[in-house]
Amino acid sequence: MSQTLSASTLLIVPLAPLAGALLAGVFGTTFGGNWIGRRMSHTITILGVLVAFVISAMTLKSVAIDGARFNESIYTWMEVGGLKMEVGFLIDSLTAMMMCVVTFVSLMVHIYTIGYMEEDDGYNRFFAYISLFTFSMLMLVMSNNMLQLFFGWEAVGLVSYLLIGFWFNKPSAIFANMKAFMVNRVGDFGFILGIGLIAAFANTLNYGEVFAKASELSALAFPGTSWMLITVVCICLFIGAMSKSAQFPLHVWLPDSMEGPTPISALIHAATMVTAGIFMVARMSPLFELSDTALNFILIIGAITALFMGFLGIIQNDIKRVIAYSTLSQLGYMTVALGASAYSVGVFHLMTHAFFKALLFLGAGSVIIGMHHNQDIRWMGGVRKYMPITWITFLLGSLALIGTPLFAGFYSKDSIIEAVHASTLPAAGFASFAVLAGVFVTAFYSFRLYFLVFHGKERYDQNPDAHHHAADEEPDPHGHHGDHSKPHESPWVVTVPLVLLAIPSVVIGFLTIGPMLFGEFFKDVIAVDAARHPAMAELAEAFHGPVAMALHGLTAAPFWLALAGVAASYYMYMVNPALPAAIKRIFQPIYTLLENKYYLDWINENILARAARGLGVALWKGGDQAVIDGALVNGSWKLVGWVAGVVRRVQTGYVYHYALVMILGIFVLMTYFVWLNK
């Protein structure tokens, strides 16, 4: 164990954002007396996240260059029957990378928020929430045991509820945060079942101890069935990842999370929460490698999400929702990589995606500021000349997203496509088709958004709803909703984070693909059975450096599919803008299907939710009121009262009445024994 990593230093990483959150959330709000103002609130919270980022970067350097490791328990909460429940840290290359991604993106979002939320009444409260969000995610990724993992898992869910419903007077925000909360509870039920099974059969919650017993667990059957225990465990764990990382059909909450302010949209979608599921599966790779059934399940779910959520992005007109569906699709790509046993590739795409997706969301927020709160891309156009910094950074983010050679997204997306193609699992065929088709779809909706916003005719003064605050729009923190004045560039606190995020969006893939995928970076962290799952071995054979990969990419199918997507969007929205409307008329049933999001929301609300409410009402009215209160509680005292009433009439107090009853009793007994009991 390296001495360069100390527990006290590592504790500062999650506790610094927590301290900022507590100070801003208590003393900067009415709850604590508003002792500190806006300037102090954002200074404290930004300082906390900055400290966390600096220590995270130093930790990554120690881990990557010096080979430092840390795996210790910090505090023992309790011990029950030999099962230890602890708080501890596991710092290896996977954790250190996640710490840097989370803290850097969070730092950019914090700085950006100064400009975006400057006039909002809940300014201090918002900073407290996003700092608390950062703390929760750091506790999740730094944990060395499943108890702490579950704490962080639930904590990010709780804070996401607060952030999505930040504007709590807005009905759509209230519905969205409840939806996110409920859908995540469905997945979390599966997740805690998986953890419970591990605790029951391995009698430990510590990662290292569980992985040491993995071969023993793989030999066991699930009680009462012929199913492999390890398969049941992995599928239960992945159900947790399905809700947290928004995989079909538990994805429905993520597009609605747009009801929160744009900065939190960036934080949820890019660096925190949705990446938790991907991180968890990669961390649990020693278990998942033992079950091909679970890996096939992951492949299918990821492929469906990657392709079919991308289709929904094509028809969206809200600038944030297009990017939200892009997140869903890209999370599908990461999941597919996990299913192909290319865990390092999935995590690599998680990292590259965090930078360019945060860039795109914050760029969208900058456009919303510059367009005086307009979010409908149909009423933008020509923004490029008014917002040059936002334009160039947004273009770089879009190029990274579609997988342009030399950009960050190219190295991770192409590696996923190649890994799936090399996989020998039965589900790999469908997954390979889905991720290839998804390249065209991604390029199409990304550049549809780009062209409609930044190029073409200026339409910002033609919005028929400009003077009406739509129910699904963000409240305007800048007080100029409906202003028809020209767009303007955002202030420096908005543009600086855009520039700082654009740099890794371009170069991070080129710089890190070698060590992360084919070097020693994830050695002894991610487990792959190369004999059964040869995808990574094949990728390693074909890799000859990032430059050679980029040059080869220019001749490969994904590049031409992406180019076709860009060309199609340019023709349809710049050259022949009447064509989309004609296609919509011809394929109206398909458009209706996409517009209704495959009717999954309708099914959830009208079948599943209604059935659940019906069951609840039946148990309440029938079980609680009728059976428990009515029959058992009220029925018992009424029966006693009735019996007492009857008995009271028999007890007259006259001796001759009692004598008569005795004679009748003797007569009945004699009749029974003499005549009937022969």
Side-chain angles (χ1 to χ4, degrees), residues 452-467:
L452 285 175
V453 172
F454 294 101
H455 294 272
K457 203 165 81 175
E458 296 175 9
R459 301 178 298 277
Y460 60 85
D461 58 348
Q462 301 172 23
N463 187 357
D465 301 317
H467 297 285

Side-chain angles (χ1 to χ4, degrees), residues 97-349:
M97 183 273 291
M98 287 295 296
M99 287 163 63
C100 284
V101 169
V102 169
T103 52
F104 178 73
V105 174
S106 178
L107 180 61
M108 296 300 102
V109 169
H110 275 71
I111 297 169
Y112 178 94
T113 300
I114 297 172
Y116 195 86
M117 302 291 287
E118 62 178 337
E119 301 297 330
D120 197 278
D121 293 337
Y123 186 88
N124 292 357
R125 178 166 60 94
F126 189 80
F127 272 99
Y129 285 172
I130 56 177
S131 276
L132 188 60
F133 204 65
T134 308
F135 158 76
S136 304
M137 192 65 190
L138 287 168
M139 287 297 286
L140 189 157
V141 300
M142 293 173 71
S143 66
N144 73 343
N145 64 84
M146 292 181 185
L147 177 70
Q148 189 176 327
L149 173 73
F150 190 72
F151 164 77
W153 196 268
E154 293 302 307
V156 292
L158 170 64
V159 187
S160 73
Y161 170 83
L162 297 171
L163 283 163
I164 295 167
F166 179 78
W167 288 309
F168 49 78
N169 293 320
K170 186 180 170 191
S172 57
I174 298 167
F175 182 78
N177 72 355
M178 284 299 297
K179 188 175 182 179
F181 192 80
M182 296 304 294
V183 173
N184 272 277
R185 296 296 72 74
V186 172
D188 293 352
F189 181 67
F191 188 53
I192 201 164
L193 283 178
I195 294 174
L197 286 170
I198 290 172
F201 287 92
N203 198 36
T204 181
L205 293 171
N206 185 275
Y207 292 159
E209 293 173 7
V210 171
F211 299 156
K213 295 182 179 181
S215 57
E216 295 176 28
L217 295 175
S218 66
L220 299 175
F222 188 69
T225 69
S226 59
W227 304 338
M228 289 173 62
L229 175 67
I230 199 73
T231 296
V232 177
V233 167
C234 289
I235 288 176
C236 285
L237 292 175
F238 182 67
I239 288 170
M242 283 170 64
S243 63
K244 199 65 72 182
S245 291
Q247 296 298 294
F248 176 90
L250 300 180
H251 67 278
V252 292
W253 68 272
L254 193 60
D256 286 17
S257 69
M258 299 297 95
E259 296 297 336
T262 296
I264 195 52
S265 301
L267 202 53
I268 287 178
H269 284 247
T272 61
M273 192 156 176
V274 295
T275 62
I278 307 299
F279 166 80
M280 183 272 294
V281 175
R283 174 62 76 198
M284 300 295 164
S285 60
L287 300 181
F288 281 88
E289 276 300 280
L290 299 171
S291 175
D292 281 5
T293 305
L295 292 175
N296 276 294
F297 180 65
I298 293 171
L299 267 174
I300 291 168
I301 295 295
I304 293 171
T305 309
L307 182 59
F308 290 93
M309 297 305 111
F311 288 144
L312 296 179
I314 294 172
I315 66 159
Q316 303 299 318
N317 294 315
D318 184 304
I319 187 170
K320 287 172 63 180
R321 284 188 180 270
V322 178
I323 307 171
Y325 281 106
S326 166
T327 302
L328 283 171
S329 181
Q330 297 308 305
L331 286 165
Y333 274 86
M334 297 174 208
T335 304
V336 164
L338 300 175
S341 290
Y343 306 97
S344 55
V345 179
V347 172
F348 182 48
H349 192 51

Side-chain angles (χ1 to χ4, degrees), residues 535-666:
M536 286 307 298
E538 290 195 23
L539 260 66
E541 287 179 17
F543 183 73
H544 301 291
V547 175
M549 184 174 175
L551 292 172
H552 177 264
L554 293 171
T555 62
F559 172 74
W560 293 105
L561 285 167
L563 189 61
V566 174
S569 64
Y570 180 79
Y571 178 76
M572 290 173 68
Y573 294 96
M574 293 289 101
V575 178
N576 188 3
L579 185 57
I583 294 172
K584 178 184 172 182
R585 284 194 303 273
I586 297 168
F587 297 99
Q588 187 62 46
I590 296 174
Y591 181 84
T592 304
L593 179 68
L594 296 176
E595 193 175 35
N596 288 280
K597 297 175 277 190
Y598 307 118
Y599 293 97
L600 287 170
D601 280 339
W602 186 90
I603 292 168
N604 287 334
E605 291 167 25
N606 292 283
I607 297 177
L608 298 179
R610 187 168 290 182
R613 286 197 302 272
L615 179 62
V617 170
L619 291 172
W620 165 41
K621 295 285 190 183
D624 189 30
Q625 289 189 348
V627 176
I628 297 172
D629 287 348
L632 297 179
V633 178
N634 294 333
S636 61
W637 72 256
K638 286 178 179 178
L639 179 63
V640 170
W642 179 81
V643 170
V646 172
V647 172
R648 190 165 56 245
R649 294 178 183 278
V650 174
Q651 300 290 336
T652 63
Y654 295 112
V655 174
Y656 54 83
H657 284 167
Y658 300 148
L660 178 62
V661 171
M662 290 173 65
I663 292 166
L664 290 172
I666 291 168

